[in-house]
Protein backbone atom coordinates (compact mmCIF):
# COMPACT_ATOMS: atom_id res chain seq x y z
CA UNK A 1 0.00 0.00 0.00
CA UNK A 2 1.13 3.56 -0.69
CA UNK A 3 2.34 5.36 2.42
CA UNK A 4 0.72 8.73 3.10
CA UNK A 5 2.11 11.55 5.22
CA UNK A 6 -0.87 13.79 5.97
CA UNK A 7 -0.03 17.38 6.97
CA UNK A 8 -2.40 19.72 8.77
CA UNK A 9 -2.43 22.93 10.77
CA UNK A 10 -5.92 22.95 12.29
CA UNK A 11 -9.22 21.14 12.41
CA UNK A 12 -8.30 18.08 10.37
CA UNK A 13 -11.61 17.12 8.80
CA UNK A 14 -9.90 16.20 5.51
CA UNK A 15 -7.35 14.13 7.41
CA UNK A 16 -10.20 12.33 9.15
CA UNK A 17 -11.93 11.56 5.87
CA UNK A 18 -8.68 10.21 4.41
CA UNK A 19 -7.96 8.04 7.45
CA UNK A 20 -11.48 6.60 7.23
CA UNK A 21 -11.00 5.98 3.51
CA UNK A 22 -7.82 3.98 4.18
CA UNK A 23 -9.57 1.94 6.87
CA UNK A 24 -12.97 1.22 5.37
CA UNK A 25 -13.36 3.27 2.20
CA UNK A 26 -12.02 3.65 -1.32
CA UNK A 27 -8.37 3.71 -0.21
CA UNK A 28 -8.58 0.46 1.72
CA UNK A 29 -5.73 -1.80 0.58
CA UNK A 30 -4.36 0.99 -1.62
CA UNK A 31 -2.98 3.39 0.98
CA UNK A 32 -2.04 3.56 4.62
CA UNK A 33 -1.26 6.51 6.87
CA UNK A 34 2.46 6.60 7.65
CA UNK A 35 2.19 9.73 9.79
CA UNK A 36 -0.01 12.73 10.49
CA UNK A 37 2.22 15.77 10.89
CA UNK A 38 1.54 19.32 12.04
CA UNK A 39 3.48 22.56 12.27
CA UNK A 40 1.13 23.40 15.18
CA UNK A 41 1.70 21.05 18.12
CA UNK A 42 -1.72 21.95 19.57
CA UNK A 43 -3.68 21.48 16.33
CA UNK A 44 -7.05 19.86 16.98
CA UNK A 45 -6.51 17.52 14.03
CA UNK A 46 -3.43 16.03 15.63
CA UNK A 47 -5.46 14.88 18.65
CA UNK A 48 -8.06 13.39 16.35
CA UNK A 49 -5.36 11.56 14.40
CA UNK A 50 -3.87 10.10 17.57
CA UNK A 51 -7.33 9.02 18.72
CA UNK A 52 -7.78 7.28 15.35
CA UNK A 53 -4.58 5.35 16.00
CA UNK A 54 -2.34 7.17 13.50
CA UNK A 55 1.32 7.84 14.18
CA UNK A 56 1.59 11.59 14.82
CA UNK A 57 4.45 14.07 14.79
CA UNK A 58 4.74 17.82 15.26
CA UNK A 59 7.38 20.45 14.82
CA UNK A 60 6.47 24.02 15.79
CA UNK A 61 7.01 26.46 12.92
CA UNK A 62 6.30 29.60 14.91
CA UNK A 63 9.26 31.97 14.95
CA UNK A 64 11.35 29.74 12.69
CA UNK A 65 12.90 30.81 9.42
CA UNK A 66 10.94 29.24 6.59
CA UNK A 67 13.81 27.41 4.86
CA UNK A 68 15.21 26.11 8.13
CA UNK A 69 11.86 24.84 9.34
CA UNK A 70 11.02 23.30 5.97
CA UNK A 71 14.32 21.43 5.77
CA UNK A 72 13.78 20.02 9.27
CA UNK A 73 10.18 19.10 8.55
CA UNK A 74 11.21 17.32 5.33
CA UNK A 75 13.89 15.40 7.19
CA UNK A 76 11.47 14.35 9.90
CA UNK A 77 8.91 13.21 7.32
CA UNK A 78 11.46 11.25 5.35
CA UNK A 79 11.91 8.99 8.36
CA UNK A 80 8.36 7.77 7.70
CA UNK A 81 9.20 6.99 4.05
CA UNK A 82 6.05 8.47 2.55
CA UNK A 83 5.11 7.78 -1.06
CA UNK A 84 2.87 10.85 -1.01
CA UNK A 85 2.77 13.99 1.11
CA UNK A 86 -0.86 14.99 1.42
CA UNK A 87 -1.55 18.57 2.49
CA UNK A 88 -4.87 18.77 4.33
CA UNK A 89 -5.32 22.30 5.63
CA UNK A 90 -1.57 22.70 6.04
CA UNK A 91 -1.49 26.47 6.08
CA UNK A 92 2.02 27.14 4.91
CA UNK A 93 3.66 28.15 1.68
CA UNK A 94 6.31 25.55 0.97
CA UNK A 95 9.87 26.48 0.12
CA UNK A 96 12.11 24.45 -2.24
CA UNK A 97 13.79 22.94 0.84
CA UNK A 98 10.55 21.09 1.51
CA UNK A 99 9.39 20.50 -2.03
CA UNK A 100 12.56 19.09 -3.55
CA UNK A 101 12.78 15.84 -1.52
CA UNK A 102 9.15 15.04 -2.44
CA UNK A 103 8.93 16.65 -5.88
CA UNK A 104 5.91 15.44 -7.84
CA UNK A 105 4.57 13.58 -4.79
CA UNK A 106 2.99 16.44 -2.82
CA UNK A 107 -0.77 16.96 -3.12
CA UNK A 108 -2.97 19.78 -1.92
CA UNK A 109 -6.70 20.35 -1.72
CA UNK A 110 -7.95 23.84 -2.39
CA UNK A 111 -11.55 24.89 -1.82
CA UNK A 112 -11.83 26.76 -5.14
CA UNK A 113 -10.73 26.51 -8.75
CA UNK A 114 -7.01 27.27 -8.46
CA UNK A 115 -7.19 29.12 -11.79
CA UNK A 116 -9.68 31.55 -10.21
CA UNK A 117 -8.60 31.82 -6.60
CA UNK A 118 -5.36 31.11 -4.74
CA UNK A 119 -4.38 31.26 -1.09
CA UNK A 120 -6.60 31.67 1.95
CA UNK A 121 -10.33 32.23 2.47
CA UNK A 122 -11.65 30.59 -0.68
CA UNK A 123 -15.11 29.91 0.78
CA UNK A 124 -15.42 33.54 1.91
CA UNK A 125 -14.45 34.57 -1.61
CA UNK A 126 -17.16 32.37 -3.14
CA UNK A 127 -19.73 33.58 -0.60
CA UNK A 128 -18.86 37.29 -0.85
CA UNK A 129 -19.00 37.15 -4.64
CA UNK A 130 -22.34 35.29 -4.51
CA UNK A 131 -21.04 32.55 -6.78
CA UNK A 132 -23.65 30.01 -7.81
CA UNK A 133 -20.99 27.32 -7.92
CA UNK A 134 -17.38 26.78 -6.98
CA UNK A 135 -14.89 24.05 -7.80
CA UNK A 136 -12.94 22.01 -5.29
CA UNK A 137 -9.47 21.31 -6.66
CA UNK A 138 -6.89 18.64 -5.87
CA UNK A 139 -3.53 19.50 -7.37
CA UNK A 140 0.14 18.64 -7.25
CA UNK A 141 2.21 21.17 -5.35
CA UNK A 142 4.98 23.08 -7.04
CA UNK A 143 6.86 26.14 -5.87
CA UNK A 144 4.08 28.62 -6.64
CA UNK A 145 0.98 29.38 -4.58
CA UNK A 146 -1.71 26.94 -5.78
CA UNK A 147 -0.17 26.75 -9.24
CA UNK A 148 0.60 23.03 -9.63
CA UNK A 149 -1.00 20.65 -12.14
CA UNK A 150 -4.63 19.80 -11.37
CA UNK A 151 -5.39 16.15 -10.58
CA UNK A 152 -9.13 16.38 -9.91
CA UNK A 153 -11.90 18.95 -9.68
CA UNK A 154 -15.50 18.77 -8.60
CA UNK A 155 -18.18 21.42 -8.81
CA UNK A 156 -20.15 22.41 -5.72
CA UNK A 157 -23.61 23.82 -6.34
CA UNK A 158 -23.96 26.96 -4.20
CA UNK A 159 -27.43 28.03 -5.29
CA UNK A 160 -29.49 28.83 -2.22
CA UNK A 161 -26.49 28.65 0.10
CA UNK A 162 -27.23 31.86 1.97
CA UNK A 163 -24.72 31.68 4.80
CA UNK A 164 -20.97 31.18 4.79
CA UNK A 165 -21.49 28.17 7.05
CA UNK A 166 -23.70 26.56 4.40
CA UNK A 167 -21.17 27.26 1.65
CA UNK A 168 -18.51 25.58 3.78
CA UNK A 169 -20.73 22.65 4.68
CA UNK A 170 -21.43 21.88 1.02
CA UNK A 171 -17.82 22.42 0.02
CA UNK A 172 -16.32 20.27 2.75
CA UNK A 173 -18.66 17.39 1.93
CA UNK A 174 -17.20 17.43 -1.59
CA UNK A 175 -13.62 17.86 -0.33
CA UNK A 176 -13.92 14.78 1.86
CA UNK A 177 -14.95 12.60 -1.08
CA UNK A 178 -12.79 14.11 -3.79
CA UNK A 179 -9.44 13.92 -1.98
CA UNK A 180 -9.67 10.17 -1.45
CA UNK A 181 -10.75 9.57 -5.05
CA UNK A 182 -7.92 11.71 -6.41
CA UNK A 183 -5.50 9.58 -4.41
CA UNK A 184 -7.07 6.38 -5.71
CA UNK A 185 -6.52 7.56 -9.28
CA UNK A 186 -2.99 8.72 -8.61
CA UNK A 187 -1.98 5.52 -6.82
CA UNK A 188 -3.54 3.35 -9.51
CA UNK A 189 -1.74 5.32 -12.22
CA UNK A 190 1.55 4.44 -10.55
CA UNK A 191 0.56 0.88 -9.78
CA UNK A 192 2.06 -1.10 -12.67
CA UNK A 193 5.39 -0.71 -10.88
CA UNK A 194 4.02 -1.31 -7.39
CA UNK A 195 1.83 -4.28 -8.24
CA UNK A 196 4.50 -6.08 -10.22
CA UNK A 197 6.70 -5.80 -7.12
CA UNK A 198 3.84 -7.16 -5.01
CA UNK A 199 3.32 -9.93 -7.58
CA UNK A 200 6.98 -10.88 -7.44
CA UNK A 201 6.99 -11.09 -3.65
CA UNK A 202 3.85 -13.23 -3.74
CA UNK A 203 5.46 -15.61 -6.23
CA UNK A 204 8.56 -15.83 -4.09
CA UNK A 205 6.62 -16.74 -0.92
C1 LIG B 1 -10.16 22.95 3.94
O1 LIG B 1 -11.32 23.59 3.49
C2 LIG B 1 -9.06 23.02 2.91
O2 LIG B 1 -9.50 22.88 1.59
C3 LIG B 1 -8.54 24.40 3.16
O3 LIG B 1 -8.51 24.51 4.56
C4 LIG B 1 -9.55 23.71 5.12
C5 LIG B 1 -8.95 22.78 6.15
O4 LIG B 1 -9.97 22.09 6.83
N1 LIG B 1 -7.26 24.63 2.56
C6 LIG B 1 -6.89 25.80 2.02
O5 LIG B 1 -7.58 26.80 2.07
C7 LIG B 1 -5.52 25.81 1.39
N2 LIG B 1 -5.30 27.04 0.69
P1 LIG B 1 -9.66 20.74 7.61
O6 LIG B 1 -8.50 21.04 8.58
O7 LIG B 1 -10.93 20.46 8.38
O8 LIG B 1 -9.31 19.67 6.63
Amino acid sequence: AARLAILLSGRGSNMMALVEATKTGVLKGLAEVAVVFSNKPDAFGLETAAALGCPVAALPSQGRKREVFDAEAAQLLQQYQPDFVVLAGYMRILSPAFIQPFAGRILNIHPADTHQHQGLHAYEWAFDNKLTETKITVHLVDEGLDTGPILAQQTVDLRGADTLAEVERRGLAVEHELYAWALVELIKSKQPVMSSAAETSRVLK
Side-chain angles (χ1 to χ4, degrees):
R3 294 173 60 78
L4 310 181
I6 303 177
L7 276 54
L8 56 81
S9 302
R11 178 178 52 193
S13 71
N14 276 288
M15 174 280 299
M16 230 170 109
L18 288 170
V19 171
E20 296 299 339
T22 63
K23 288 186 177 173
T24 56
V26 295
L27 284 167
K28 191 173 177 199
L30 279 178
E32 62 194 21
V33 178
V35 65
V36 175
F37 170 83
S38 185
N39 65 313
K40 305 242 187 232
D42 57 357
F44 182 70
L46 219 47
E47 280 175 45
T48 314
L52 289 169
C54 300
V56 295
L59 196 62
S61 57
Q62 204 184 4
R64 308 286 314 281
K65 201 171 175 299
R66 184 177 303 281
E67 286 74 17
V68 177
F69 172 82
D70 277 3
E72 270 181 41
Q75 212 171 29
L76 187 156
L77 288 173
Q78 274 174 310
Q79 294 171 16
Y80 294 89
Q81 302 187 309
D83 295 301
F84 298 102
V85 174
V86 182
L87 309 183
Y90 187 64
M91 296 310 196
R92 289 182 60 80
I93 294 171
L94 301 175
S95 59
F98 186 91
I99 294 179
Q100 268 157 18
F102 308 112
R105 298 186 289 134
I106 309 174
L107 287 76
N108 183 42
I109 189 158
H110 184 67
D113 183 342
T114 47
H115 294 312
Q116 294 188 325
H117 177 282
Q118 304 81 30
L120 299 174
H121 310 305
Y123 287 131
E124 285 89 332
W125 166 80
F127 181 66
D128 291 344
N129 289 290
K130 302 185 170 55
L131 302 189
T132 54
E133 60 176 48
T134 195
K135 274 199 182 106
I136 306 301
T137 306
V138 177
H139 64 97
L140 288 175
V141 173
D142 62 16
E143 287 168 21
L145 176 62
D146 296 332
T147 51
I150 291 173
L151 296 174
Q153 277 192 319
Q154 192 175 322
T155 300
V156 186
D157 186 352
L158 296 180
R159 285 173 302 175
D162 49 14
T163 61
L164 176 59
E166 176 62 11
V167 168
E168 281 182 349
R169 192 189 65 75
R170 292 188 195 181
L172 281 167
V174 171
E175 289 190 44
H176 297 160
E177 296 274 317
L178 187 68
Y179 217 175
W181 278 113
L183 273 160
V184 168
E185 292 299 317
L186 186 63
I187 291 165
K188 284 191 172 162
S189 77
K190 309 226 180 217
Q191 225 173 22
V193 185
M194 290 185 185
S195 66
S196 67
E199 202 61 60
T200 310
S201 69
R202 211 173 305 138
V203 171
L204 290 175
K205 263 186 207 156

